[in-house]
Amino acid sequence: MSEHRSSLSYLKWPLITTVIGLGLTGWLGWATEGSMAGVLSFLMVGTVLAALEIALSFDNAIVNANKLEEMTPVWRQRFLTWGILIAVFGMRIVFPLAIVAIFAWINPFAAMHLALADPDEYSRIIGHAHGPISAFGGTFLMMVALKFFIDEDKSIDWITVVEKRLRKWGSIRGFEIALVLVIVMLISQSLPGPEVGPFLTSAVMGLLVFTMVDGLGTYLDNMAGSTAAIGAKGGLGAFLYLEVLDASFSFDGVIGAFALTTNILLIAIGLGIGAMYVRSMTIMLVERGTLAEFRYLEHGAFYSIFALSIVMFLQSLVHVHELITGGIGMALIALAFYASIIHNKREA
């Protein structure tokens, strides 16, 4: 029955969220500024934040769809319900507060008060944490991309000259880990002395988290026999993997949001609206079997992830505008989509 759903039907909840979110944004603008100019300003920033989130997370939707196809129906539904709550409230509200609490050595309630009472100082602390956050996210995302390409069992290549060689390197145990560590070491050499330690620590943490989550997923998928194991297979491991992946994707959007506004409530509303559209894109990709129909779309997403990981590492050295980051990702996915159409025409 899902194949008969119209494209518009997938936008039902995102559109409802948009109406409610923009309504709250307008109210927040009036409560904060007390003028129509403030309302319009808040509405504009909220809309830009939502668009930024969609642009930065489209590749995330493709990877999510690929993983969801492997998950059991129960865990798939859990991800689409609990997962979106964690994504919106956890990453867009709790995560920035946690960063400030850790770096300012204050409790979360004090961090919330700081965010509302002194947003400029709150933004400064977030900016100070940018280097370690970029190291963690860059390392995790690069491992995600390399795991896809450096795989002996991978049978479909888009950019053959690159992917065929990477596939051969899959026989070298731990090659992707060594490659990431080399890149991390090279980046760290260009950092000021006091920033090297936090950068390396965060990068190693990103590597450890990826290894643990990926290992847990493999372990659960290999379990057999008990009822609990059958329930966990294709479920908990994949769920945790997707949650950490979403968190890594969110780093760039959350940090970039502070370049537009320091109001944490406005950031949460804007990014939350965008996250709902990403969720609906994920559902549409799964139900319509789009990844199977366009064979290189997944490749484009992982190239985009690799590009994002490079950008996140570079963010430790120079500022890269979020529109450039989102533009690169969208361009790579668009090229993969076009290549898939050309392939389908040749096959026909």
Side-chain angles (χ1 to χ4, degrees):
M1 184 175 292
S2 61
E3 63 266 25
H4 299 299
R5 286 183 66 181
S6 65
S7 299
L8 189 60
S9 68
Y10 291 100
L11 296 177
K12 175 184 175 183
W13 286 109
L15 289 174
I16 292 174
T17 304
T18 300
V19 172
I20 296 174
L22 291 181
L24 289 173
T25 298
W27 172 82
L28 187 62
W30 180 264
T32 305
E33 304 291 337
S35 65
M36 282 305 298
V39 172
L40 294 175
S41 175
F42 269 56
L43 285 173
M44 183 183 71
V45 172
T47 302
V48 171
L49 286 172
L52 176 67
E53 177 70 11
I54 294 170
L56 288 173
S57 300
F58 189 76
D59 43 5
N60 191 11
I62 295 174
V63 177
N64 285 350
N66 177 56
K67 203 70 177 176
L68 285 172
E69 289 178 348
E70 304 172 4
M71 295 174 73
T72 61
V74 172
W75 276 100
R76 180 185 300 178
Q77 188 58 39
R78 286 172 179 171
F79 175 76
L80 294 174
T81 50
W82 301 350
I84 194 65
L85 291 175
I86 295 173
V88 173
F89 295 102
M91 285 309 303
R92 277 73 182 180
I93 298 178
V94 177
F95 168 67
L97 292 174
I99 290 175
V100 172
I102 293 171
F103 279 82
W105 289 98
I106 57 178
N107 64 62
F109 296 103
M112 173 64 83
H113 180 267
L114 184 66
L116 298 175
D118 192 356
D120 290 334
E121 175 64 12
Y122 181 86
S123 177
R124 188 194 67 79
I125 296 173
I126 289 285
H128 181 66
H130 196 182
I133 293 171
S134 296
F136 180 94
T139 301
F140 186 89
L141 290 177
M142 186 170 286
M143 286 298 298
V144 168
L146 291 178
K147 182 176 173 61
F148 174 77
F149 290 113
I150 304 177
D151 182 2
E152 288 184 289
D153 298 326
K154 181 170 165 285
S155 57
I156 299 175
D157 295 330
W158 174 28
I159 305 177
T160 309
V161 66
V162 175
E163 295 177 37
K164 190 174 182 180
R165 184 166 298 175
L166 288 174
R167 204 153 25 91
K168 291 180 179 178
W169 288 342
S171 60
I172 304 176
R173 186 176 180 85
F175 176 80
E176 62 271 26
I177 296 177
L179 181 59
V180 170
L181 288 176
V182 168
I183 294 173
V184 167
M185 292 299 296
L186 289 174
I187 294 290
S188 69
Q189 296 302 308
S190 303
L191 293 173
E195 297 180 14
V196 174
F199 180 87
L200 291 176
T201 301
S202 297
V204 171
M205 286 299 297
L207 188 60
L208 284 175
V209 170
F210 174 85
T211 303
M212 291 170 61
V213 173
D214 185 59
L216 177 62
T218 301
Y219 170 72
L220 291 175
D221 285 344
N222 289 334
M223 288 173 64
S226 68
T227 303
I230 294 173
K233 184 177 180 181
L236 179 60
F239 181 88
L240 293 174
Y241 175 86
L242 288 177
E243 286 303 324
V244 178
L245 184 66
D246 178 74
S248 299
F249 272 104
S250 300
F251 290 157
D252 209 41
V254 171
I255 297 297
F258 281 93
L260 297 173
T261 177
T262 56
N263 190 304
I264 187 173
L265 298 178
L266 179 55
I267 289 174
I269 293 171
L271 296 183
I273 292 173
M276 286 300 294
Y277 281 92
V278 173
R279 175 185 180 274
S280 291
M281 283 190 288
T282 301
I283 296 173
M284 185 173 70
L285 289 171
V286 173
E287 293 187 350
R288 292 193 167 185
T290 306
L291 296 183
E293 184 179 351
F294 300 98
R295 62 186 277 148
Y296 301 131
L297 198 57
E298 188 178 5
H299 294 67
F302 280 101
Y303 275 115
S304 177
I305 292 172
F306 185 80
L308 178 58
S309 69
I310 293 293
V311 168
M312 292 195 77
F313 279 136
L314 291 178
Q315 292 274 26
S316 302
L317 304 173
V318 295
H319 175 68
V320 181
H321 199 280
E322 289 71 30
L323 292 179
I324 296 176
T325 307
I328 292 173
M330 294 294 285
L332 287 168
I333 292 173
L335 287 172
F337 183 73
Y338 177 75
S340 301
I341 293 175
I342 297 298
H343 174 270
N344 290 343
K345 287 183 177 179
R346 287 175 180 170
E347 288 294 306

